[in-house]
Amino acid sequence: MPQTGQRVDPYRSFNFLVELDGIAQASFTECSGLGSTTEVIENREGGDNTTVRKLPGKTTYTDITLKWGATTSMELWEWRLQIVQGLVVRKNGSIVVFDLANRTEVVRWNFDRAWPTKWEGSAFNAKGSEILVETLVLAHEGLARV
Protein backbone atom coordinates (compact mmCIF):
# COMPACT_ATOMS: atom_id res chain seq x y z
CA MET A 1 0.00 0.00 0.00
CA PRO A 2 1.40 3.45 -0.89
CA GLN A 3 2.49 5.95 1.74
CA THR A 4 0.23 8.92 2.47
CA GLY A 5 0.87 11.65 -0.10
CA GLN A 6 2.59 9.25 -2.51
CA ARG A 7 1.31 9.46 -6.08
CA VAL A 8 -0.45 6.33 -7.36
CA ASP A 9 -1.30 6.30 -11.05
CA PRO A 10 -4.26 4.24 -12.27
CA TYR A 11 -3.65 1.21 -14.48
CA ARG A 12 -3.96 1.57 -18.24
CA SER A 13 -6.79 -0.35 -19.92
CA PHE A 14 -4.98 -1.25 -23.16
CA ASN A 15 -2.34 -3.67 -21.87
CA PHE A 16 -4.35 -6.78 -21.02
CA LEU A 17 -4.52 -10.50 -21.66
CA VAL A 18 -7.48 -12.88 -21.57
CA GLU A 19 -6.78 -16.42 -20.38
CA LEU A 20 -9.28 -19.23 -21.05
CA ASP A 21 -8.82 -22.88 -20.02
CA GLY A 22 -7.28 -24.73 -22.93
CA ILE A 23 -7.68 -21.95 -25.52
CA ALA A 24 -4.61 -20.24 -26.92
CA GLN A 25 -6.25 -17.24 -28.64
CA ALA A 26 -3.37 -14.84 -29.20
CA SER A 27 -4.88 -11.49 -28.33
CA PHE A 28 -8.08 -9.53 -27.93
CA THR A 29 -8.67 -5.93 -28.97
CA GLU A 30 -11.42 -5.35 -26.42
CA CYS A 31 -12.83 -6.90 -23.27
CA SER A 32 -15.89 -5.44 -21.54
CA GLY A 33 -18.58 -6.42 -19.09
CA LEU A 34 -16.68 -7.05 -15.87
CA GLY A 35 -19.35 -6.37 -13.31
CA SER A 36 -21.77 -7.67 -10.73
CA THR A 37 -25.04 -6.49 -9.23
CA THR A 38 -26.67 -7.51 -5.98
CA GLU A 39 -30.45 -7.33 -5.82
CA VAL A 40 -31.94 -5.15 -3.07
CA ILE A 41 -34.77 -6.68 -1.03
CA GLU A 42 -36.89 -4.08 0.73
CA ASN A 43 -38.52 -5.14 3.97
CA ARG A 44 -40.76 -3.25 6.38
CA GLU A 45 -40.63 -4.24 10.01
CA GLY A 46 -43.70 -4.17 12.20
CA GLY A 47 -43.86 -1.13 14.48
CA ASP A 48 -41.44 0.86 12.31
CA ASN A 49 -43.75 2.40 9.71
CA THR A 50 -41.38 5.14 8.53
CA THR A 51 -38.32 3.11 7.49
CA VAL A 52 -37.77 0.40 4.93
CA ARG A 53 -34.92 -2.03 5.67
CA LYS A 54 -32.79 -2.99 2.71
CA LEU A 55 -31.26 -6.45 2.59
CA PRO A 56 -28.91 -7.99 0.01
CA GLY A 57 -30.48 -10.54 -2.33
CA LYS A 58 -29.02 -12.62 -5.13
CA THR A 59 -25.93 -11.47 -7.01
CA THR A 60 -25.75 -11.64 -10.80
CA TYR A 61 -22.73 -11.17 -13.04
CA THR A 62 -22.59 -9.17 -16.25
CA ASP A 63 -21.74 -11.08 -19.42
CA ILE A 64 -18.15 -10.62 -20.62
CA THR A 65 -17.73 -9.48 -24.22
CA LEU A 66 -14.50 -10.26 -26.08
CA LYS A 67 -13.50 -8.80 -29.45
CA TRP A 68 -10.54 -9.78 -31.61
CA GLY A 69 -9.23 -9.52 -35.14
CA ALA A 70 -10.20 -12.58 -37.17
CA THR A 71 -7.36 -15.02 -37.89
CA THR A 72 -7.06 -18.67 -38.88
CA SER A 73 -7.64 -19.72 -35.24
CA MET A 74 -10.88 -21.70 -34.87
CA GLU A 75 -10.77 -22.43 -31.12
CA LEU A 76 -13.36 -19.88 -30.00
CA TRP A 77 -15.64 -20.67 -32.96
CA GLU A 78 -15.46 -24.40 -32.13
CA TRP A 79 -16.25 -23.71 -28.45
CA ARG A 80 -19.34 -21.74 -29.50
CA LEU A 81 -20.30 -24.49 -31.96
CA GLN A 82 -20.29 -27.04 -29.10
CA ILE A 83 -22.93 -24.94 -27.32
CA VAL A 84 -25.05 -24.72 -30.49
CA GLN A 85 -24.88 -28.51 -30.77
CA GLY A 86 -26.07 -28.95 -27.17
CA LEU A 87 -22.72 -29.79 -25.55
CA VAL A 88 -22.18 -27.25 -22.76
CA VAL A 89 -18.46 -26.95 -22.10
CA ARG A 90 -17.67 -24.47 -19.35
CA LYS A 91 -14.27 -22.85 -18.89
CA ASN A 92 -12.66 -20.74 -16.22
CA GLY A 93 -10.69 -17.70 -17.24
CA SER A 94 -8.92 -14.53 -16.26
CA ILE A 95 -8.56 -10.95 -17.41
CA VAL A 96 -4.99 -9.89 -16.62
CA VAL A 97 -3.64 -6.33 -16.77
CA PHE A 98 0.11 -5.71 -17.13
CA ASP A 99 2.31 -2.71 -16.39
CA LEU A 100 3.45 -0.41 -19.20
CA ALA A 101 6.62 -2.43 -19.74
CA ASN A 102 4.42 -5.53 -20.29
CA ARG A 103 6.49 -7.48 -17.76
CA THR A 104 4.58 -7.44 -14.48
CA GLU A 105 1.01 -8.45 -13.78
CA VAL A 106 -0.65 -5.63 -11.83
CA VAL A 107 -4.26 -6.82 -11.49
CA ARG A 108 -6.29 -9.94 -12.32
CA TRP A 109 -9.98 -10.81 -12.40
CA ASN A 110 -10.90 -14.51 -12.44
CA PHE A 111 -14.26 -15.66 -13.77
CA ASP A 112 -15.84 -19.08 -13.27
CA ARG A 113 -17.78 -21.59 -15.36
CA ALA A 114 -18.06 -19.46 -18.50
CA TRP A 115 -19.72 -20.53 -21.73
CA PRO A 116 -20.29 -18.60 -24.98
CA THR A 117 -23.84 -17.30 -25.38
CA LYS A 118 -23.30 -15.35 -28.59
CA TRP A 119 -20.86 -15.11 -31.47
CA GLU A 120 -20.96 -12.26 -33.96
CA GLY A 121 -18.94 -11.81 -37.11
CA SER A 122 -17.65 -8.61 -38.60
CA ALA A 123 -19.51 -6.31 -40.96
CA PHE A 124 -18.14 -6.23 -44.49
CA ASN A 125 -17.55 -3.04 -46.44
CA ALA A 126 -15.73 -3.02 -49.78
CA LYS A 127 -14.94 0.70 -49.36
CA GLY A 128 -13.34 0.34 -45.93
CA SER A 129 -9.92 -0.75 -44.72
CA GLU A 130 -10.85 -2.02 -41.25
CA ILE A 131 -9.84 -5.44 -40.01
CA LEU A 132 -12.41 -8.21 -39.54
CA VAL A 133 -13.53 -8.27 -35.91
CA GLU A 134 -15.21 -11.24 -34.24
CA THR A 135 -17.19 -10.90 -31.00
CA LEU A 136 -17.88 -13.55 -28.38
CA VAL A 137 -20.16 -13.02 -25.36
CA LEU A 138 -19.54 -15.19 -22.30
CA ALA A 139 -22.00 -15.93 -19.51
CA HIS A 140 -20.31 -16.89 -16.24
CA GLU A 141 -21.11 -17.66 -12.62
CA GLY A 142 -18.61 -15.69 -10.60
CA LEU A 143 -16.04 -12.91 -10.70
CA ALA A 144 -13.21 -12.20 -8.26
CA ARG A 145 -10.39 -9.67 -8.25
CA VAL A 146 -7.24 -11.34 -6.99
Side-chain angles (χ1 to χ4, degrees), residues 7-77:
R7 178 180 162 156
V8 179
D9 291 329
Y11 302 126
R12 308 290 175 100
S13 66
F14 62 84
N15 204 9
F16 69 96
L17 170 72
V18 178
E19 298 174 349
L20 288 165
D21 287 342
I23 293 183
Q25 179 71 31
S27 61
F28 293 89
T29 58
E30 188 176 329
C31 173
S32 62
L34 295 180
S36 65
T37 302
T38 301
E39 173 183 289
V40 176
I41 300 172
E42 294 186 353
N43 183 35
R44 291 182 58 187
E45 293 180 353
D48 187 357
N49 296 326
T50 60
T51 306
V52 174
R53 305 288 180 218
K54 295 187 178 191
L55 304 171
K58 70 177 180 178
T59 298
T60 57
Y61 298 95
T62 310
D63 291 347
I64 296 172
T65 302
L66 302 173
K67 294 185 179 189
W68 69 97
T71 65
T72 58
S73 174
M74 296 284 288
E75 290 177 296
L76 294 172
W77 170 259

